[in-house]
Amino acid sequence: MKLERFKEKNKKRTFIILFTVGCVFLLAGVFLYTSFAVFTEGKQFNVINGKYQDPGDLYFAVYVNGEITNTIPSKDSGYTLDTAQSSCTNGAEITWDNDSWSALVNLSNYSAGNMSRTKCTMYFKEMSFIDSILACTDTAANCIKDNASLSSEIATDDPDNNARYIGADPNNYVRFNNELWRIIGAFNNIDSGSGIKETRLKIIRDEPIGSYSWDNKANGTGSSTSSEGSNDWSDSALQIVLNSGAYYNRTSGQCPYGSKGATVACDFSNTGLTSEAKTMISNAVWNLGGSSTFDDVTASTFYERERGTTVYTGRPTEWTGQIGLMYPSDYGYATSGGSTGRDTCLSYNLYNWSSYSDCYSNDWLYKSETIQWAITPNSSYSSYVFDMNSLGIVSNYYANSAYTVSPALYLSSNVRISGGTGVESDPFTLEIG
């Protein structure tokens, strides 16, 4: 009897032990399932369309704005993969192909280690302006124009809705000609001279190439008593240097400086256009319309007159070529306005900007220690050309004056942005697309 009673107790104890162990395994199984339930097996995750050799089980987890989900955003949803945050285990590496909208898993460094299960966690974020630019496969100009609304550094409020960079120091740096240049904007309806109009990127050299006369031919005529030089850009001495002379040919030579055809030695053997840079430039029709006044003209008024037909007698209203200079309107429209406000600054006459430091100090084209030439003539005189001076205003003076020269140009329509983020330390890079 005692033996039977002893056996009965052992049976109960055994049942309790087995039941407890079973519960532990069940809870462990639930925990493990919960831990991996957010991962979807890659072989059946068709929407990601991952490409891989079979290293064992491959699973994906997807987060959108920090929230886990079992689907990825659609291609036109405004999201992109955050490659810096996304990762895989076991040495696998994940990248993202925006064209095919699929994950690409690189297993060249794959190692199963202690587990055969490979897990890739994908974090999607809303696309920023830079994300959109780098993902864009269109031309550089179209990529910037089409994504302009994503950037607080771009305005599209001129009469032709050109996408212009604004502010004191926007992220518009670009590496061109093995130097730092800056993007003025993406301009619509730029004619190459053939009648075909396209959206093209307009850029300007970050630093001037030197100080030279706009023109200083000794036979200038006009109502001014000091009329040496001509404000006809199509045959100005500076235009020749930039488009067929020493600068264009990346060599040394003589540049216009002073009155009566005087010159100064200029050396562009390290700063002139390279052969590669020339492949990215093509002709553009530059407007040469002038203004007869300068003390009552806003950015929008300049923009209209630049495209007008009012010029000094006999001057052309257009010029077809490659290298030019900025317009007064480029300078005016580059302001963000600061606390004064962009709209208010744009309502002020550019000649009066010296009274509104918010306007010029928040304009990246402003240079505090120099006077910069513009391409636009004063139509009332044969020799006066507009400039942007160190006081922040747009003024005008004789073409034979020696002011700083910052070449500007329109990139060919087939140029693409291939990398970079636009900051000075990481400028956009370009390629022929």
Side-chain angles (χ1 to χ4, degrees), residues 301-323:
T301 307
F302 261 119
Y303 188 85
E304 178 183 358
R305 292 179 181 177
E306 290 158 4
R307 286 152 181 76
T309 57
T310 301
V311 292
Y312 187 77
T313 304
R315 300 283 189 260
T317 59
E318 293 179 343
W319 168 76
T320 300
Q322 295 187 358
I323 317 299

Side-chain angles (χ1 to χ4, degrees), residues 31-108:
F31 174 77
L32 289 173
Y33 175 79
T34 303
S35 299
F36 295 110
V38 294
F39 291 91
T40 306
E41 189 172 2
K43 298 172 185 177
Q44 297 179 6
F45 204 72
N46 296 328
V47 70
I48 288 183
N49 193 24
K51 299 178 181 179
Y52 59 91
Q53 298 173 353
D54 191 352
D57 292 334
L58 180 63
Y59 294 83
F60 292 90
V62 180
Y63 288 81
V64 178
N65 286 342
E67 298 291 331
I68 197 162
T69 178
N70 58 0
T71 59
I72 68 170
S74 62
K75 188 172 184 178
D76 58 353
S77 63
Y79 286 87
T80 189
L81 185 71
D82 186 342
T83 54
Q85 192 174 7
S86 302
S87 63
C88 299
T89 60
N90 296 335
E93 298 175 352
I94 189 168
T95 57
W96 186 256
D97 186 339
N98 277 287
D99 291 335
S100 61
W101 202 247
S102 61
L104 306 177
V105 180
N106 183 348
L107 298 172
S108 59

Side-chain angles (χ1 to χ4, degrees), residues 55 89-92 106-118:
T89 60
N90 296 335
N106 183 348
L107 298 172
S108 59
N109 296 318
Y110 170 76
S111 176
N114 296 324
M115 297 178 61
S116 62
R117 186 188 299 270
T118 299

